[in-house]
Amino acid sequence: MLSQGLLLHTQPARHNNQPMDFPCIDKLETRQRDLLSGPEPTYDKIVTGYKTYTHPQFTCDHGGQLSQMRIAYETWGQLNAQKSNAILIHTGLSGSSHARSHELNKSAGWWEKFIGPGLAIDTDKFFVICTNVIGGCYGSTGPSSFDESGARYATSFPLLTINDMVRAQFHLLDHLGIAKLHASVGASMGGMQSLCAAALHSERVGRLVTISACARSHPYSIALRFAQRQALMADANFNRGHYYDGVQPHVGMKLARSIATVTYRSGPEWELRFGRRRQRPDQPPALCPDFLIETYLDHQSERFCLQYDANSLLYVSKAMDMFDISHSVTQRLSRLRADNQRACTLVCLDASEQPASDQGHSGVETSEEIRADLVRGVKAAMQPTLVLGVQSDILFPVRQQKEIADILRQAGNTRVTYYELDAIYGHDTFLIDVVNVGAAIKGHLENTH
C-alpha cells in the first residue's frame, strides 16, 4: 500500500514512430564527399568552341583594374564587305557565348531555335556575335580567372556594372573592325545591356531590341537576387569567395538556383504542368522533394549548382541590381571611372584595392524627377526600337518594359514598337516562345523603314 501523499510515477512508453528518410540530404552529403576527393569544376570545359579577344588594362566603373580583360565570343553568318550587317546578342545572367551550335561546338545553344538560316535572327542575312560577359566564367575574365600572380581573383575581383560589360563588348567590336551594329539584341540582363548599348553608344547601334528587361532595377527583383546571394554566401564552403582550392559552395548554389527558378516561370504554367500532383502518391508525404513542382525545382537547381561559378553569380547579379540608365547615374559612373583611370597613371590600383563607392545610384527622389532623369539617360537612343514584355513575368513585370518604351518616346524616339505577350511561361518566355518572340524580332530586324 502506498503511503498517503505518495504519487505513483510510471515510465512513459517509447513511441514506435519511424525516423524520416532524407534522400535529398544524403545526396548533398555524397556530393560533398566526392568534391573533397575529386577535381574542382572546370567551367571552361562546360562551354567550348569559342574565340577570345584580350584587351589591355580595363578600368571598371567602381574602381579596380584588370591588367588585361579577356572576352569570349562566338559568331555565325558572314560579315559583309561594308561590315554593316553585324548583330550583337547580349546574354542573361548565366548565359554563355554559345547561343547556337556550330562546327566547333555542335551542342544546341541557349537560343538555338532563334538564330540560323531563315530564323528570327537570320544568319543568311546577318553576322551574329554573342559574348560571355566579363565577370562570367565561360571564357571571359571573371572571379575564377587567374590574376598576374597566378592566383584566382576570387572576391578580389572588382565590382562590375552593366556599363562595364557593354564597354568590354565594344572593345571586341573595335577588334573585329565593326564601327556600327545593325542591331543590339538582348533579353533579361541582356535587355539591360542592349538598352545601355543603344543609349551610351548610340552612334554605333542601328536598331535596338530589348526583351523582358528594365531601365533600372526595381526593389522586388533586387530583393529576389539578394535572397539568392544570401543563400549562397551562407554555405559553409563559401569561405568569403576563396573556395577554389577546396569544396565549391554547391549547397548554397543549389538553394540560390531554386529561388531563381521560381522567379523565371509562372504560377499558371505550373498549375497546368504540375498541379498538386506528387511524385509517389501511394507513399506517405516526405520532407524531401515530394510534389512534382518540388522535384522540378530540385532537378533544375541540382543540374546548375556545379556548372556556374558561385562568385560569378554574386558579381553579375549585383551588376543587375545596380543597373540604372538614368542620366545622373551614367554621369557619376563616367566621372568615377575617369578619376580611377587618372589615378592609375600615378599608382594603379589592383582589383583588391578598389575604393569604396556610393556612386551608381540616382540621387533624385520624386517619381517626376526619376522619370525625367531616365528620359535624359536615353536621349541619344533614337534608333528604331522593339520592346517586348510578358504579362506573366514576375521578375521583370510588364510595367518595367512599358517604362522603357515610355521614356524612349518622351526622349523623342518616334520609332518605338511595344508588344506585350500573353504567354504563360513567365520570364523565360524569351527562351521558349519561338513563334511570337521570334516573329517580333525578325520583323524588327528586317524592316527596311
Side-chain angles (χ1 to χ4, degrees):
M1 177 178 290
L2 296 173
S3 59
Q4 188 174 5
L6 182 65
L7 298 177
L8 181 63
H9 293 276
T10 59
Q11 184 72 24
R14 172 84 176 161
H15 67 75
N16 293 320
N17 299 339
Q18 293 298 311
M20 187 75 74
D21 288 330
F22 290 93
C24 53
I25 295 179
D26 294 340
K27 185 188 294 185
L28 296 177
E29 291 173 344
T30 298
R31 185 164 65 231
Q32 176 82 1
R33 289 193 295 271
D34 290 344
L35 290 171
L36 282 169
S37 58
E40 61 189 68
T42 51
Y43 307 112
D44 57 350
K45 299 295 190 296
I46 294 172
V47 178
T48 60
Y50 54 79
K51 303 172 185 177
T52 60
Y53 163 67
T54 301
H55 184 77
Q57 199 172 68
F58 186 84
T59 304
C60 299
D61 284 340
H62 286 294
Q65 287 271 338
L66 300 173
S67 61
Q68 60 179 24
M69 178 275 296
R70 184 180 65 254
I71 188 164
Y73 68 100
E74 297 175 48
T75 64
W76 303 264
Q78 296 295 320
L79 187 63
N80 63 20
Q82 298 76 29
K83 297 188 176 182
S84 62
N85 68 331
I87 292 176
L88 180 59
I89 306 293
H90 307 271
T91 72
L93 189 157
S94 58
S96 72
S97 59
H98 192 61
R100 179 179 167 82
S101 57
H102 52 78
E103 283 302 312
L104 296 178
N105 184 347
K106 296 184 179 180
S107 301
W110 57 266
W111 234 14
E112 185 77 15
K113 295 181 180 179
F114 291 82
I115 303 170
L119 299 183
I121 302 175
D122 192 344
T123 52
D124 286 338
K125 297 178 179 178
F126 301 113
F127 178 64
V128 183
I129 309 161
C130 185
T131 77
N132 176 226
V133 297
I134 58 169
C137 58
Y138 296 140
S140 294
T141 302
S144 61
S145 301
F146 294 94
D147 63 19
E148 303 87 339
S149 71
R152 304 268 193 177
Y153 278 107
T155 44
S156 67
F157 196 78
L159 286 173
L160 295 172
T161 65
I162 297 296
N163 304 29
D164 287 329
M165 297 173 185
V166 171
R167 281 190 298 107
Q169 292 162 348
F170 276 88
H171 284 312
L172 170 63
L173 295 179
D174 292 339
H175 167 69
L176 296 175
I178 297 171
K180 184 175 183 178
L181 293 167
H182 176 74
S184 174
V185 179
S188 188
M189 187 184 82
M192 295 177 175
Q193 294 171 68
S194 63
L195 178 62
C196 178
L200 305 189
H201 304 270
S202 56
E203 74 287 353
R204 301 189 66 178
V205 177
R207 289 179 176 269
L208 166 62
V209 177
T210 176
I211 306 168
S212 297
C214 61
R216 58 191 177 109
S217 283
H218 290 249
Y220 183 73
S221 61
I222 292 171
L224 290 167
R225 287 188 289 268
F226 172 77
Q228 294 171 50
R229 291 194 296 270
Q230 289 293 293
L232 168 54
M233 292 187 290
D235 189 312
N237 293 315
F238 178 63
N239 192 31
R240 289 174 167 76
H242 295 273
Y243 49 76
Y244 295 107
D245 294 327
V247 175
Q248 311 294 301
H250 58 101
V251 176
M253 280 292 279
K254 184 172 180 179
L255 290 172
R257 188 62 171 185
S258 292
I259 297 169
T261 303
V262 172
T263 73
Y264 294 156
R265 305 304 273 260
S266 78
E269 181 205 0
W270 285 348
E271 287 284 355
L272 292 174
R273 188 172 175 185
F274 305 115
R276 287 180 46 81
R277 295 189 298 278
R278 296 175 57 221
Q279 185 178 28
R280 296 180 179 176
D282 57 329
Q283 298 293 317
L287 295 179
C288 281
D290 182 16
F291 286 98
L292 290 185
I293 182 58
E294 294 174 329
T295 63
Y296 170 78
L297 289 176
D298 185 66
H299 171 73
Q300 292 294 323
S301 55
E302 181 77 19
R303 189 177 65 173
F304 180 80
C305 69
L306 293 178
Q307 289 193 335
Y308 192 71
D309 180 46
N311 282 329
S312 285
L313 179 62
L314 297 179
Y315 276 77
V316 178
S317 70
K318 187 64 180 179
M320 292 180 71
D321 289 353
M322 294 298 293
F323 179 64
D324 187 339
I325 202 65
S326 298
H327 175 74
S328 64
V329 172
T330 301
Q331 291 300 107
R332 286 173 184 154
L333 290 176
S334 295
R335 287 196 298 268
L336 181 62
R337 188 175 68 256
D339 290 343
N340 292 329
Q341 287 174 327
R342 281 193 294 271
C344 277
T345 62
L346 301 174
V347 179
C348 189
L349 300 176
D350 68 21
S352 63
E353 296 171 318
Q354 53 188 302
S357 170
D358 61 356
Q359 305 298 313
H361 61 86
S362 177
V364 298
E365 296 294 338
T366 69
S367 58
E368 292 81 7
E369 289 174 327
I370 291 170
R371 173 58 66 91
D373 200 10
L374 287 169
V375 170
R376 289 186 68 199
V378 298
K379 64 182 179 182
M382 294 294 111
Q383 307 89 343
T385 298
L386 172 66
V387 183
L388 284 182
V390 179
Q391 291 177 357
S392 58
D393 190 342
I394 63 171
L395 183 58
F396 289 82
V398 289
R399 67 178 182 275
Q400 296 180 20
Q401 290 86 64
K402 286 179 181 176
E403 182 175 57
I404 294 174
D406 288 346
I407 63 172
L408 286 168
R409 288 168 177 155
Q410 282 185 250
N413 190 333
T414 59
R415 296 176 293 176
V416 177
T417 301
Y418 173 72
Y419 290 139
E420 195 171 292
L421 301 180
D422 183 19
I424 66 169
Y425 305 112
H427 186 63
D428 275 357
T429 296
F430 75 91
L431 296 170
I432 300 168
D433 192 348
V434 178
V435 173
N436 293 302
V437 174
I441 294 172
K442 187 176 182 67
H444 182 71
L445 294 179
E446 297 181 12
N447 190 337
T448 57
H449 300 292

